[in-house]
C-alpha cells in the first residue's frame, strides 16, 4: 500500500477513535446522567472501563513498547464485546421510550461497533509489529506511532518517553489485575449482578 494512503487511513482511524471513543461517549455520559437513565449510565461505565485499554495502548506506543500494538488491537475487540454482552442492559435499553438520547445512544453504539470491528480486522496485518525490534524505524509499524507522538507533544511536552511508558505500563498492570479479578471473582461467581455493586 502506498505510504501516503496508509498514513491517511491510520490517521483516520485515530480521529474516529477520538470521536467515537472519547467525545461522543463523554457527551452521552453527561446526557445520561442528567436524564437519569440507569441502563445507559451502566453501559457507559462499562464502556469507559474497557475502552481505557485503548488509551493505555497510546501511552505504551509513545516509547515504542511493542506491547502497545497488542493493547490497541485487543482494546477494540473488548469495546465491541462490552457494548453488547450484557443481555439485561440490552433489554432495558430496548424498552426505553423513544427519545433523542436513546436514538443518539443507539446510533453511537452501532457506529462504535462497526468502527471497533473494522479497526481490529484492518489492524491484523500490523500485529507482527509486536515482535519487531525496529518498530520505530520500519515504515509499516512507525505509521501507528506518529499520532501517539503528536499526542505526547501536545499533552506531555516535558515528560520523557520512559516516564510515559511507565505510566502506560502501570495502567496496563492495574487494568489486567482488575480484569482478572472481575472474570474470576465477580462475573463467574456472581454473574451479571456483580456489575451493579
Amino acid at each position: 500500500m502506498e505510504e501516503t494512503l496508509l498514513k491517511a487511513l491510520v490517521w483516520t482511524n485515530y480521529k474516529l477513535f477520538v470521536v467515537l471513543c472519547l467525545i461522543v461517549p463523554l457527551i452521552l455520559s453527561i446526557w445520561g446522567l442528567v436524564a437519569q437513565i440507569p441502563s445507559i449510565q451502566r453501559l457507559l461505565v462499562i464502556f469507559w472501563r474497557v475502552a481505557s485499554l485503548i488509551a493505555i495502548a497510546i501511552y505504551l506506543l509513545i516509547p515504542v513498547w511493542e506491547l502497545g500494538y497488542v493493547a490497541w488491537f485487543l482494546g477494540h475487540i473488548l469495546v465491541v464485546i462490552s457494548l453488547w454482552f450484557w443481555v439485561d442492559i440490552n433489554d432495558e435499553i430496548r424498552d426505553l421510550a423513544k427519545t433523542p438520547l436513546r436514538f443518539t445512544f443507539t446510533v453511537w453504539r452501532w457506529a462504535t461497533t462497526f468502527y471497533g470491528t473494522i479497526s481490529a480486522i484492518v489492524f491484523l496485518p500490523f500485529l507482527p509489529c509486536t515482535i519487531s525490534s525496529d518498530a520505530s524505524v520500519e515504515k509499516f509499524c512507525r505509521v501507528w506511532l506518529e499520532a501517539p507522538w503528536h499526542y505526547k507533544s501536545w499533552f506531555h511536552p516535558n515528560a520523557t518517553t520512559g516516564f510515559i511508558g511507565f505510566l502506560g505500563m502501570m495502567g496496563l498492570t492495574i487494568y489486567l489485575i482488575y480484569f482478572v479479578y472481575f472474570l474470576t471473582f465477580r462475573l463467574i461467581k456472581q454473574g451479571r449482578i456483580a456489575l451493579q455493586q
Side-chain angles (χ1 to χ4, degrees):
M1 184 181 294
E2 187 180 340
E3 185 178 355
T4 304
L5 177 59
L6 179 60
K7 283 186 178 182
L9 290 174
V10 170
W11 273 95
T12 299
N13 186 294
Y14 276 115
K15 289 173 183 177
L16 286 172
F17 161 71
V18 171
V19 172
L20 293 173
C21 295
L22 290 177
I23 297 175
V24 176
L26 180 59
I27 294 171
L28 288 171
S29 295
I30 297 171
W31 195 353
L33 188 62
V34 171
Q36 296 185 342
I37 301 179
S39 56
I40 289 180
Q41 292 175 358
R42 283 200 304 270
L43 190 59
L44 283 167
V45 167
I46 294 168
F47 166 81
W48 284 117
R49 289 175 180 169
V50 173
S52 64
L53 181 59
I54 303 177
I56 290 170
I58 292 175
Y59 277 76
L60 293 173
L61 288 172
I62 289 173
V64 198
W65 291 1
E66 290 78 5
L67 196 57
Y69 291 99
V70 178
W72 180 264
F73 173 71
L74 292 178
H76 286 78
I77 295 174
L78 291 175
V79 160
V80 173
I81 293 172
S82 73
L83 289 176
W84 299 99
F85 185 75
W86 318 107
V87 176
D88 57 335
I89 296 181
N90 293 338
D91 291 340
E92 290 177 29
I93 293 173
R94 194 179 301 114
D95 293 337
L96 290 174
K98 294 182 179 180
T99 62
L101 174 56
R102 179 192 169 191
F103 174 77
T104 306
F105 180 82
T106 302
V107 170
W108 165 77
R109 200 180 188 192
W110 280 106
T112 304
T113 298
F114 181 77
Y115 159 74
T117 303
I118 297 301
S119 183
I121 293 171
V122 169
F123 196 79
L124 283 171
F126 296 93
L127 282 178
C129 294
T130 60
I131 56 174
S132 171
S133 58
D134 298 317
S136 62
V137 294
E138 291 181 9
K139 291 180 180 179
F140 193 66
C141 298
R142 182 186 174 93
V143 69
W144 287 96
L145 303 174
E146 293 177 1
W149 288 342
H150 276 76
Y151 169 82
K152 179 190 178 299
S153 68
W154 295 334
F155 295 100
H156 304 287
N158 299 319
T160 64
T161 55
F163 177 70
I164 297 296
F166 170 77
L167 292 178
M169 190 57 70
M170 286 295 295
L172 182 62
T173 301
I174 295 170
Y175 187 96
L176 290 175
I177 291 172
Y178 179 81
F179 188 71
V180 171
Y181 165 76
F182 175 79
L183 292 178
T184 305
F185 297 102
R186 298 184 70 178
L187 184 63
I188 294 177
K189 292 186 177 181
Q190 298 178 8
R192 180 47 195 91
I193 195 172
L195 297 177
Q196 299 175 355
Q197 295 180 350

